[in-house]
Amino acid sequence: MWRQVQGSHDWDGLVQPLHPVLRDEAARYGELVDACYKVLDMDPSSSRHMCCKHAKETVLEDAGLVKAGYEVTRYIYATPDVAAAPSATSAWVGYVAVSTDEMTRRLGRRDVLVSFRGTVTQAEWAANLRSSLEPARLDAHHPDVKVESGFLNLYTSSGDKSGGVGGMGSCREQLLREVTRVVTSFSKDNPREDMSVTLAGHSMGSALATLLGYDLAEHGLNRDASGCRVPVAVFSYGGPRVGNEAFKDRCAELGVKVLRVANVRDPVTMLPGAILNEGTKGFLAGWGATGDCYTHVGVELALDFLSLRDPGSVHDLGAYVASVKAEACGKVPNAAEDGGILAMAMELVGGQSAAASTWKEIAALQMGGLVQSLGF
């Protein structure tokens, strides 16, 4: 049933209640994204600062995924071009991989995977502040399609005149080249083999995954060597809104399937567009307000978890994966009962690093959304 798990019928009947096969796949892709955090070198004194600590041949095993069933073909870098961080350098944001022969037999198709981490660097935080909608400009035919400017900047900017890391170009250019190469190569060698393209990411990474899915489909790059369309599915974990209603509609027209795994207590999933969004559009129109509103794309797989001992876990990818594995659509194992905003604030005063990181991202997205809402 791999096509259903990849969203061929918009996950109808698989989400509520959560089907065990979809549960396992959502957890598996979440772990493949979590690997990005585990192998990222965040030591400022290291010569490999903000790069992957391991070689492509062993990176998934080194991340603890001994039997991941994928071979990494390329590392992907992004270089934000933002005034708040003019000296930003390229940082490793994820990888492209393809399923092994053994995993392909298990899955029922050759799976091309792109995995993205979330926000980590100062330049990426600064990009989150740029929450205004702007034309995507990824094709010349749909000027009404708009996306969050900060995510678009991360996706399209090479950051400097040299063209990014080693002249490889922007994050977008690296991705389009590599995904096209892998799809064409494997479909040419195995013309009778089914194939899928899966894009998975957490937080900022889920926004990049969604932009890539739209971009691939819009330009017809998700086609194999014989010209047949390869299905594209996005597995988003704790992802923010990415674009406007026209962006959502165009993704649907192109057949880009997005499963949003979202904790109902995670504020990042409610941003940007805290004021201007799909839920308030009708209300604002009644008051004579017009303009674009942020709109979520795809189908939501709603989770509900919170630990007062670690309020930052509401956005933590490990907590997301644990909740999915527990078939929760409820709470992660041993999660504390919700004690309200005051209790959460008191925990934050304790200065836990995970919480501080989460709320830093929330604040950046919220401030950018507020600026847009006020029309500055």
Side-chain angles (χ1 to χ4, degrees), residues 276 281 283-293 372-373:
L276 300 175
K281 181 179 179 180
F283 173 78
L284 293 172
W287 285 84
T290 58
D292 286 307
C293 291
Q372 180 204 356
S373 300

Side-chain angles (χ1 to χ4, degrees), residues 77-81 152-160 169-172:
Y77 299 81
T79 312
D81 180 14
L152 184 64
N153 180 281
L154 285 163
Y155 184 60
T156 60
S157 174
S158 60
D160 54 44
S170 66
C171 177
R172 180 197 186 203

Side-chain angles (χ1 to χ4, degrees), residues 64-307:
L65 300 178
V66 179
K67 297 182 180 180
Y70 286 82
E71 295 175 349
V72 175
T73 66
R74 188 180 184 89
Y75 286 161
I76 303 298
Y77 299 81
T79 312
D81 180 14
V82 291
S87 60
T89 57
S90 296
W92 186 78
V93 294
Y95 60 87
V96 180
V98 62
S99 59
T100 62
D101 290 344
E102 181 181 353
M103 177 61 80
T104 296
R105 287 190 291 270
R106 173 189 158 193
L107 296 176
R109 87 280 187 187
R110 183 76 62 177
D111 190 33
V112 179
L113 169 69
V114 185
S115 179
F116 297 98
R117 64 165 175 81
T119 313
V120 172
T121 71
Q122 179 181 350
E124 291 162 0
W125 295 121
N128 283 344
L129 281 167
R130 301 176 58 172
S131 294
S132 60
L133 283 165
E134 68 174 65
R137 302 191 306 275
L138 300 180
D139 79 297
H141 305 294
H142 299 90
D144 57 328
V145 171
K146 297 180 181 180
V147 297
E148 200 251 24
S149 57
F151 299 145
L152 184 64
N153 180 281
L154 285 163
Y155 184 60
T156 60
S157 174
S158 60
D160 54 44
K161 295 180 180 179
S162 67
V165 177
M168 291 187 296
S170 66
C171 177
R172 180 197 186 203
E173 292 167 333
Q174 297 167 57
L175 287 164
L176 295 185
R177 278 198 306 265
E178 183 64 7
V179 173
T180 301
R181 184 192 71 80
V182 173
V183 169
T184 302
S185 174
F186 276 88
S187 62
K188 186 179 297 183
D189 293 341
N190 304 279
R192 296 185 178 180
E193 188 174 70
D194 285 331
M195 181 176 286
S196 64
V197 173
T198 306
L199 316 173
H202 172 240
S203 195
M204 173 195 77
S206 72
L208 294 177
T210 305
L211 284 173
L212 175 59
Y214 162 74
D215 206 5
L216 287 169
E218 188 67 83
H219 291 89
L221 300 179
N222 60 321
R223 294 187 178 276
D224 60 22
S226 65
C228 294
R229 187 176 68 86
V230 176
V232 175
V234 176
F235 281 73
S236 160
Y237 302 85
R241 296 183 180 94
V242 179
N244 64 353
E245 188 171 9
F247 176 71
K248 170 194 171 184
D249 292 343
R250 187 58 183 157
C251 285
E253 291 173 11
L254 293 168
V256 177
K257 305 298 183 179
V258 180
L259 183 68
R260 293 186 300 103
V261 184
N263 179 10
V264 298
R265 302 174 188 267
D266 182 355
V268 172
T269 65
M270 306 171 195
L271 301 170
I275 298 175
L276 300 175
N277 59 61
E278 65 273 46
T280 62
K281 181 179 179 180
F283 173 78
L284 293 172
W287 285 84
T290 58
D292 286 307
C293 291
Y294 274 101
T295 304
H296 270 307
V297 177
V299 174
E300 182 180 76
L301 168 55
L303 305 174
D304 184 355
F305 60 86
L306 168 68
S307 170

Side-chain angles (χ1 to χ4, degrees), residues 350-362:
Q352 297 185 35
S353 59
S357 178
T358 293
W359 298 108
K360 185 177 180 182
E361 179 167 10
I362 293 166

Side-chain angles (χ1 to χ4, degrees), residues 32-43:
L32 287 163
V33 173
D34 198 34
C36 293
Y37 292 105
K38 294 179 178 178
V39 298
L40 180 65
D41 191 340
M42 297 186 65
D43 180 2

